[in-house]
């Protein structure tokens, strides 16, 4: 069907506009090389003079069969299949080659990808979800029957805080890189990075998107990595400062023990021996990787660029202040989003307790090797909020709604932003 479509788009007139040498014309400005789309063949257009005297329209002709030579070898076998086919402008016959157009051969679209595997995986996952829903439907209904309906204005406030979280991340990117980029663009980059971060663990998806964006903006790879590392360092500093601020709430409240209890119970279930063996293996792998000469040779330019970048930030108090405040703002907006969700379900938990639960819970869940701390942050937040004075079932619903709004809802706009950035050339 594609061949029929392209055959209808055949050139009706072989006259070409005159181009100069900057538009791929030959040394005399006569012949122009036209590459075939999605293929390796190319054809040379006829001279830029008056059109040849032809009364009948151009037609496609089949290639002539190869004539055997005296030694039994075809005359066309010695010609490589990857040699470019040319249209001879001065051919007196005007036969096959001169009447061929660039769409004479069908396009090589490549082998079609099989969709059987994604469909099978989707069916398996859907079947597991249906089985779990049927199995635990009664328990979930009995436990969530006493959960009050949320108040929608608080959920709208949670959505606004989530949006401001990405704006603050965009300000951090602009302050760390020193690039004069529109706030709308860097905010879109953060949303796109969040979408990729949902499927790649340890924040590697966001790092890849940020690195690509900064390189497209003209930064070298070591400088871009240094800017990303400075953002991570500023985030760690702001997180530790927040924990120091809420340290008074931790004493005697039981929030810290409740947040750490899922991790402690998991480690206890695994056993002390396997945990120690795993820690030793991880430490050995990290030490061996760092001590490897090739890794050290590759990391040396990045470390040098990071030191240079930090010295530049040290001599730019304005950029450093914006970077630290914006990273503190990301934590603040996440805490506000969680607090708005708690208040949407009518729970009376103080802002300081919510901040304590979030800061400690996110730090504990950061150890989990999952994308965005999925499976580790939810129980930590639920146990912490229940220890702060909330009902267990209600706090579970709070955490689920909060994660849907702040974690899963930005995936769709992130995909749209990623496609827009690719179209605009920013990624």
């Amino acid at each position: 069907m594609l061949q029929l479509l392209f055959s209808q788009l055949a050139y009706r007139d072989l006259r070409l506009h005159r181009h100069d040498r900057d538009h791929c014309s030959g040394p005399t400005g006569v012949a122009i090389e036209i590459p075939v789309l999605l293929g390796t063949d190319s054809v040379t257009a006829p001279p830029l003079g008056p059109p040849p005297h032809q009364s009948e329209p151009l037609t496609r002709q089949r290639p002539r069969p190869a004539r055997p030579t005296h030694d039994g070898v075809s005359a066309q076998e010695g010609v490589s299949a990857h040699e470019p086919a040319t249209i001879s402008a001065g051919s007196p016959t005007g036969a096959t080659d001169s009447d061929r157009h660039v769409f004479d051969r069908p396009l090589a679209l490549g082998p079609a990808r099989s969709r059987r595997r994604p469909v099978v995986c989707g069916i398996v996952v859907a079947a597991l979800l249906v089985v779990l829903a049927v199995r635990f439907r009664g328990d979930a209904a009995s436990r969530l029957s006493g959960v009050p309906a949320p108040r929608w204005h608080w959920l709208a406030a949670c959505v606004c805080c989530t949006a401001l979280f990405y704006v603050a991340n965009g300000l951090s990117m602009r302050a760390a890189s020193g690039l004069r980029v529109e706030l709308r663009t860097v905010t879109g980059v953060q949303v796109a990075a969040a979408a990729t971060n949902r499927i790649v663990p340890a924040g590697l998806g966001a790092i890849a998107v940020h690195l690509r964006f900064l390189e497209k903006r003209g930064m070298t790879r070591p400088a871009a990595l240094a800017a990303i590392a400075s953002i991570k360092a500023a985030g760690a500093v702001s997180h530790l400062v927040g924990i120091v601020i809420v340290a008074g709430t931790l004493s005697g409240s039981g929030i810290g023990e409740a947040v750490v209890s899922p991790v402690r119970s998991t480690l206890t279930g695994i056993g002390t021996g396997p945990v120690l063996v795993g820690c030793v293996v991880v430490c050995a792998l990290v030490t061996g990787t760092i001590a490897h000469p090739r890794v050290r040779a590759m990391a040396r330019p990045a470390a040098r660029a990071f030191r240079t970048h930090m010295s530049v930030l040290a001599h730019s108090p304005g950029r450093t202040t914006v970077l630290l405040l914006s990273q503190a703002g990301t934590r603040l907006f996440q805490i506000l989003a969680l607090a708005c969700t708690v208040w949407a379900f009518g729970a009376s938990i103080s802002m300081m307790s919510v901040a304590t639960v979030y800061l400690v819970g996110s730090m504990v869940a950061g150890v989990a090797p999952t994308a965005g701390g999925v499976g580790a942050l939810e129980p930590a937040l639920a146990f912490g909020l229940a220890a702060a004075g909330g009902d267990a079932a209600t706090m579970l619903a709070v955490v689920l709604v909060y994660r849907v709004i702040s974690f899963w809802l930005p995936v769709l706009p992130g995909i749209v932003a990623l496609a827009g950035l690719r179209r605009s050339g920013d990624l």
Side-chain angles (χ1 to χ4, degrees):
M1 184 174 179
L2 287 175
Q3 187 175 1
L4 178 62
L5 175 63
F6 286 127
S7 65
Q8 295 176 358
L9 298 175
Y11 294 124
R12 298 298 182 184
D13 190 358
L14 292 178
R15 289 177 298 175
L16 300 174
H17 295 288
R18 190 173 298 276
H19 287 66
D20 54 8
R21 294 184 180 182
D22 294 337
H23 290 78
C24 303
S25 61
T28 60
V30 173
I32 295 179
E33 198 67 18
I34 304 177
V36 180
L37 294 176
L38 298 177
T40 58
D41 296 341
S42 61
V43 295
T44 306
L48 295 178
H53 298 285
Q54 294 179 355
S55 57
E56 66 279 357
L58 297 176
T59 58
R60 294 185 300 161
Q61 299 185 10
R62 298 182 179 274
R64 297 176 180 176
R67 296 189 300 272
T69 59
H70 62 278
D71 54 354
V73 180
S74 174
Q76 295 181 357
E77 284 181 4
V79 181
S80 174
H82 299 287
E83 264 183 67
T86 57
I87 295 178
S88 177
S91 177
T93 59
T96 58
D97 289 343
S98 61
D99 292 340
R100 284 182 65 246
H101 54 78
V102 295
F103 297 122
D104 183 43
R105 295 182 180 180
L107 297 179
L109 298 178
R113 294 183 178 180
S114 177
R115 297 183 178 180
R116 184 177 301 175
R117 184 179 299 177
V119 171
V120 171
C121 294
I123 292 174
V124 171
V125 172
L128 289 176
L129 292 177
V130 169
V131 170
L132 291 176
V134 173
R135 170 66 179 81
F136 297 102
R137 180 181 58 183
D139 295 340
S142 61
R143 290 180 180 274
L144 298 178
S145 59
V147 176
R151 290 175 284 184
W152 295 105
H153 61 280
W154 284 115
L155 296 183
C158 178
V159 173
C160 293
C161 292
T162 303
L164 291 175
F165 163 78
Y166 292 105
V167 175
N169 268 321
L171 290 174
S172 299
M173 171 67 70
R174 198 163 66 172
S177 62
L179 299 175
R180 299 194 176 188
V181 190
E182 293 183 358
L183 185 59
R184 178 182 59 183
T185 303
V186 291
T187 304
V189 171
Q190 303 309 312
V191 179
T196 58
N197 218 24
R198 300 301 179 260
I199 57 176
V200 181
L204 297 179
I207 292 175
V209 171
H210 293 159
L211 183 62
R212 178 79 172 177
F213 173 74
L214 294 178
E215 287 182 347
K216 285 287 188 177
R217 288 288 172 167
M219 295 183 67
T220 62
R221 177 160 296 185
L225 287 173
I228 297 171
S230 63
I231 294 174
K232 299 295 183 182
V237 169
S238 62
H239 202 104
L240 291 176
V241 170
I243 291 178
V244 170
I245 293 175
V246 301
T249 310
L250 285 173
S251 59
S253 63
I255 295 178
E257 291 79 3
V259 170
V260 181
S261 61
V263 179
R264 184 187 296 115
S265 61
T266 302
L267 295 179
T268 304
I270 295 175
T272 307
V275 170
L276 291 178
V277 171
C279 292
V280 170
V281 170
V282 170
C283 293
L285 290 176
V286 171
T287 305
T289 303
I290 295 176
H292 197 278
R294 185 175 298 178
V295 175
R296 295 178 64 183
M298 293 175 60
R300 194 174 294 115
R304 191 183 304 113
F306 180 72
R307 288 196 300 267
T308 305
H309 187 77
M310 295 305 293
S311 65
V312 170
L313 287 178
H315 291 85
S316 302
R319 285 175 56 186
T320 305
T321 303
V322 173
L323 178 60
L324 291 173
L325 290 179
S326 57
Q327 281 298 303
T330 59
R331 273 67 182 174
L332 177 61
F333 290 129
Q334 288 282 17
I335 292 170
L336 287 175
L338 181 59
C340 290
T341 312
V342 170
W343 298 334
F345 284 86
S348 57
I349 301 178
S350 65
M351 182 71 180
M352 189 63 71
S353 299
V354 174
T356 305
V357 170
Y358 174 79
L359 292 173
V360 179
S362 59
M363 184 178 66
V364 172
V367 184
T370 56
V374 176
L377 183 60
E378 291 84 1
L381 295 181
F383 278 99
L385 292 174
D391 180 67
T394 304
M395 292 304 103
L396 178 60
V398 165
V399 171
L400 294 179
V401 172
Y402 163 73
R403 291 290 278 176
V404 167
I405 294 176
S406 64
F407 189 80
W408 296 111
L409 193 60
V411 171
L412 293 179
I415 295 174
V416 174
L418 188 63
L421 292 170
R422 290 296 297 263
R423 285 195 302 267
S424 63
D426 289 322
L427 287 180

